Amino acid sequence: MLDLQTPVQFVKGIGPRRAQELALKNILTVEDLLYHLPYRYEDRTNFCNVIDLQPGEKTSILVEVMTTGLNITARNRLRIFELAGRDETAVIRCKWFHSEYLAQRKIFRKGQIVIFHGKFEVDRYGSGTLQVINPEFEILDQKINPSDSLEMGRIVPVYEAIKSCSSRVLRRAIYRCLLDLQQLPEILPAEVLIRHNLTNRKLALNESHFPSETTSLGDLAKKETPALQRLIFEELFLLEVGVRWKRQQHRTVPGIPFAIGLNIRETIKKILPFHPTNSQKKAFGELVSDMRQNIPMNRLLQGDVGCGKTIVAMEAIAIAVENGFQVGLMAPTEILAEQHFFYAKQLYTKLDYQIDLLKSGLRKKERAYLLEQLRKGNSQILIGTHALLQSDVEFKNLGLVIIDEQHRFGVLQRFNLMRKGTYPDTLVMTATPIPRTLSMTLYGDLDVSVIDEMPPNRTPIETRLLEEKERIFAYRLIEEQVQKGHQVYFLCPLIEESEKLDLKAATKTFEHLNNEIFPMFKVELLHGRLKSHEKDAIMCRFSSGATNILVSTTVVEVGVDVANATVMFIEHAERFGLAQLHQLRGRVGRGQNKSYCFLMQGSKTVTPEAHQRLSCLESTTNGFEIAEKDLEIRGPGEFFGTRQAGLPTLRVSNLLRDQKLLLKARKEAIYFVDNSSNRSNLRNMVQSLNNKWKKRYGLIGVG
């Protein structure tokens, strides 16, 4: 007998070898197999007469086998298995390439009744009649009604094949599981099922895999059948239960109630280099309110590039240090970490804080001394990259953790840095605006502050989408800007995820600009293979104005704040995501001078979708509008381009398509977790969900 936790190898038709293949997709148990849902459905309820077939039509036919044979072409020795079949109206030919096993195993015999499904096309190299290449088929006993078949005569589920586990193999294995399962316990609370009129779990899985004849193929494609809607709700509910549980757990541990009196407020006023915007004041007020409480702060600070998030974070750092605690600030790149380090040194000059930078390239003695000072508590602010997570980095009394560009880190990395203190406050920052739908799921355990106001006197950036023939126009404007004393970023894309190719392309661009286009200017090249001190020197020269044009790869994010830079030229802009392009654009326009962003399209690699994305960037500078459009075009699975962001691998739901269900599921999950009468039962349930679902949802999953 099967149950949900039966290893999948014991399902008939799977076995040990196929079980190993399924494990590559995290399908280990019967339950995992049942949640491997079809990616599409085909209506095979009606068989077409052979005489009525049309070129390009994908349909099913029911024929009697006439002849079979293995033919070898004289030209290239290609082996083709051919079959001729007929119904009451006409004859049709079926062909399979490289399928000698059909002949060797004598799969087909004269007189058999067979159902074929595929796309029928004209044989341009033969008689000019219709044929079907590599069709799906099922051989029937003449006494069996075709409508009883799993493959034909019905709406048939089509699955993503996993190595030797073809769609047909999976279809039959799943059917046996549903047939043999003695029990399929309900996973949703009874009151939730009633409130939302959701079908039970058993029926939902049955109908999702093997829809009844009355089911609309259109509703299946749009995931709008009652069965699929129930599974979508279930998936989102369980996900939101996990997020809510984590949020509650964070708020049950003792935090640090920071004192924020008049003296600290006066200290903060001393470091402010400018009058903050109303949006900055509001965000800082929310941080202050959190830091005063005796539970840990867990807050996300969102805002466009250049909106002033960093100064708000620096104010929070001052509160922690003035209270006698240490601060750890983690950035995704060394350049960004160095930018924070130099900015902090400049900002806290009057306060004489001990600020250190942990980066690669430190001598052994330097590193050892820095870590010793950290353990003793003498180092008050430590800034660095992933290096902060290393086991030998030990704080004496870590009180505040700040993570810049959170989406570039894994969720567990955030927690690992927090564990270096005793429930420190945590501030997560991102300049990638996150649509509300994704934010609720990605950062549901965090409170959210948004800075949606740019500092005054900022001149809007003019963005222009260019074709190759307009390159000369951009070069002329770049020349004019440099002659006026301004500077230019020239970005080259990552090509095929290859640093070697990336470097080669950037080097070629650098040589072309330096030797042929702008020999009169100082042009430098920045890339990921440079040593740390070399990168420092290049960035220092660019910041000081000694370098006119900086050519950079995307291996190293350009994170320097140079108010004098007025042009961002992005080569092959279609290869970037919208959010990344928006961030790159934000590197200019930081002063009062008019700034430009040129998006150069490649001549051969621009798809209609890519052009749509770039046009969106050309028409607006609002980061949240851009993020919503990016999510709409690319879908949630590709929004960040990496699972490091913690985005769950959802099997049936879609955070964009299913927003209404997400809101309902979230509301129910919040009520379920917050109002559970038996906390120990709730804990056990969440732990059980964690064990079953963690591999499915990745880092952000339940638990």
Side-chain angles (χ1 to χ4, degrees), residues 563-686:
N564 192 47
T566 59
V567 180
M568 171 64 72
F569 187 102
I570 303 176
E571 196 76 68
H572 282 289
E574 73 279 357
R575 290 179 176 168
F576 296 85
L578 264 181
Q580 188 179 19
L581 286 170
H582 181 59
Q583 283 208 50
L584 291 170
R585 174 171 62 180
R587 297 302 170 196
V588 296
R590 290 175 170 255
Q592 297 184 21
N593 299 301
K594 182 173 177 60
S595 295
Y596 305 86
C597 178
F598 294 121
L599 306 174
M600 178 60 69
Q601 303 176 94
S603 57
K604 298 179 180 179
T605 54
V606 181
T607 63
E609 177 190 294
H611 186 77
Q612 184 184 5
R613 287 193 289 112
L614 297 177
S615 297
C616 167
L617 201 74
E618 188 179 36
S619 62
T620 182
T621 57
N622 184 301
F624 286 92
E625 288 181 15
I626 290 168
E628 291 282 1
K629 190 66 177 178
D630 203 16
L631 178 60
E632 178 186 332
I633 295 172
R634 294 198 292 162
E638 297 298 325
F639 181 75
F640 287 112
T642 172
R643 285 191 66 229
Q644 278 290 75
L647 187 66
T649 305
L650 300 173
R651 295 198 174 185
V652 59
S653 54
N654 179 298
L655 295 179
L656 178 63
R657 181 196 64 217
D658 302 319
Q659 289 188 49
K660 290 182 180 179
L661 274 184
L662 175 61
L663 291 172
K664 291 178 182 178
R666 185 169 185 264
K667 183 178 179 180
E668 289 289 357
I670 290 172
Y671 182 83
F672 176 73
V673 174
D674 292 358
N675 295 280
S676 178
S677 58
N678 190 323
R679 302 302 295 176
S680 62
N681 284 347
L682 176 62
R683 179 183 292 274
N684 291 338
M685 175 194 174
V686 172

Side-chain angles (χ1 to χ4, degrees), residues 67-214:
T67 62
T68 64
L70 184 64
N71 297 323
I72 303 175
T73 61
R75 182 178 178 184
N76 51 17
R77 309 295 293 172
L78 183 65
R79 294 174 178 268
I80 304 174
F81 182 82
E82 295 189 24
L83 177 149
R86 67 181 176 191
D87 63 6
E88 296 85 357
T89 63
V91 174
I92 188 72
R93 291 193 174 275
C94 308
K95 294 182 180 180
W96 290 264
F97 295 97
H98 305 294
S99 297
E100 296 93 329
Y101 76 95
L102 293 173
Q104 293 168 356
R105 299 180 188 176
K106 299 181 180 179
I107 302 295
F108 298 107
R109 295 188 303 275
K110 184 178 179 180
Q112 284 177 329
I113 303 299
V114 184
I115 300 171
F116 291 107
H117 179 83
K119 188 175 182 181
F120 294 83
E121 301 283 6
V122 174
D123 181 6
R124 293 185 175 85
Y125 302 101
S127 61
T129 58
L130 285 182
Q131 64 178 3
V132 60
I133 305 296
N134 296 330
E136 294 183 47
F137 63 87
E138 183 172 5
I139 300 169
L140 301 179
D141 187 313
Q142 296 186 40
K143 299 176 182 178
I144 296 178
N145 189 325
S147 63
D148 295 331
S149 165
L150 283 182
E151 264 66 37
M152 307 293 172
R154 64 191 305 155
I155 294 177
V156 176
V158 180
Y159 301 89
E160 175 195 357
I162 304 170
K163 295 211 169 183
S164 70
C165 297
S166 65
S167 180
R168 192 179 187 205
V169 167
L170 292 170
R171 187 182 300 125
R172 296 187 174 198
I174 290 168
Y175 181 78
R176 292 188 188 101
C177 287
L178 290 169
L179 204 61
D180 295 346
L181 267 178
Q182 296 303 301
Q183 290 185 325
L184 191 58
E186 184 54 70
I187 203 168
L188 292 177
E191 60 271 21
V192 172
L193 292 172
I194 295 170
R195 247 192 313 268
H196 298 279
N197 194 28
L198 298 173
T199 187
N200 68 68
R201 191 184 185 194
K202 172 82 171 176
L203 183 59
L205 284 168
N206 270 316
E207 283 291 314
S208 295
H209 288 288
F210 301 101
S212 58
E213 292 181 6
T214 58

Side-chain angles (χ1 to χ4, degrees), residues 333-349:
T333 66
E334 280 199 358
I335 286 181
L336 206 50
E338 288 166 356
Q339 177 189 344
H340 285 309
F341 174 71
F342 291 123
Y343 184 61
K345 293 281 281 187
Q346 178 185 359
L347 198 67
Y348 298 132
T349 301

Side-chain angles (χ1 to χ4, degrees), residues 19-39:
Q20 289 180 348
E21 296 173 350
L22 292 175
L24 298 174
K25 291 288 186 179
N26 284 323
I27 299 175
L28 307 176
T29 65
V30 166
E31 184 176 27
D32 298 331
L33 185 61
L34 291 180
Y35 281 88
H36 183 72
L37 295 170
Y39 72 92

Side-chain angles (χ1 to χ4, degrees), residues 379-553:
S379 176
Q380 296 166 295
I381 304 169
L382 181 64
I383 299 172
T385 59
H386 298 76
L388 268 63
L389 301 174
Q390 294 175 2
S391 58
D392 60 348
V393 178
E394 300 173 11
F395 292 84
K396 182 180 180 182
N397 57 344
L398 180 63
L400 175 64
V401 166
I402 297 177
I403 300 176
D404 195 12
E405 297 301 329
Q406 160 64 39
H407 67 278
R408 298 278 294 274
F409 295 100
V411 176
L412 288 182
Q413 290 173 317
R414 188 211 317 171
F415 293 140
N416 288 338
L417 184 55
M418 291 163 61
R419 290 190 187 106
K420 290 184 178 287
T422 305
Y423 307 122
D425 280 10
T426 303
L427 176 64
V428 168
M429 299 194 297
T430 179
T432 300
I434 305 168
R436 181 170 175 266
T437 310
L438 275 184
S439 180
M440 287 190 307
T441 303
L442 281 172
Y443 302 117
D445 57 328
L446 303 175
D447 297 307
V448 180
S449 293
V450 178
I451 299 179
D452 54 7
E453 182 182 359
M454 297 299 283
N457 303 321
R458 287 287 180 92
T459 305
I461 302 167
E462 181 180 330
T463 304
R464 299 190 62 168
L465 184 56
L466 303 179
E467 296 180 0
E468 186 61 37
K469 62 184 179 182
E470 299 171 287
R471 182 182 292 272
I472 190 66
F473 158 77
Y475 284 175
R476 285 173 182 166
L477 189 140
I478 288 173
E479 184 175 349
E480 290 173 4
Q481 288 294 304
V482 176
Q483 287 174 344
K484 290 179 180 179
H486 301 309
Q487 293 163 276
V488 177
Y489 293 107
F490 206 105
L491 267 291
C492 298
L494 187 70
I495 300 173
E496 298 175 1
E497 301 296 325
S498 167
E499 188 177 342
K500 290 182 179 179
L501 290 175
D502 184 20
L503 176 57
K504 182 179 178 181
T507 302
K508 187 176 180 180
T509 299
F510 163 71
E511 291 172 351
H512 177 64
L513 294 178
N514 188 48
N515 299 329
E516 300 176 35
I517 307 300
F518 302 118
M520 71 292 281
F521 301 137
K522 175 66 174 176
V523 184
E524 289 208 69
L525 172 63
L526 179 70
H527 58 77
R529 291 190 173 184
L530 292 172
K531 294 180 179 178
S532 183
H533 71 274
E534 293 174 321
K535 288 186 284 187
D536 291 346
I538 291 172
M539 295 312 303
C540 185
R541 287 193 292 272
F542 188 69
S543 299
S544 67
T547 299
N548 305 120
I549 301 174
L550 181 66
V551 179
S552 174
T553 68

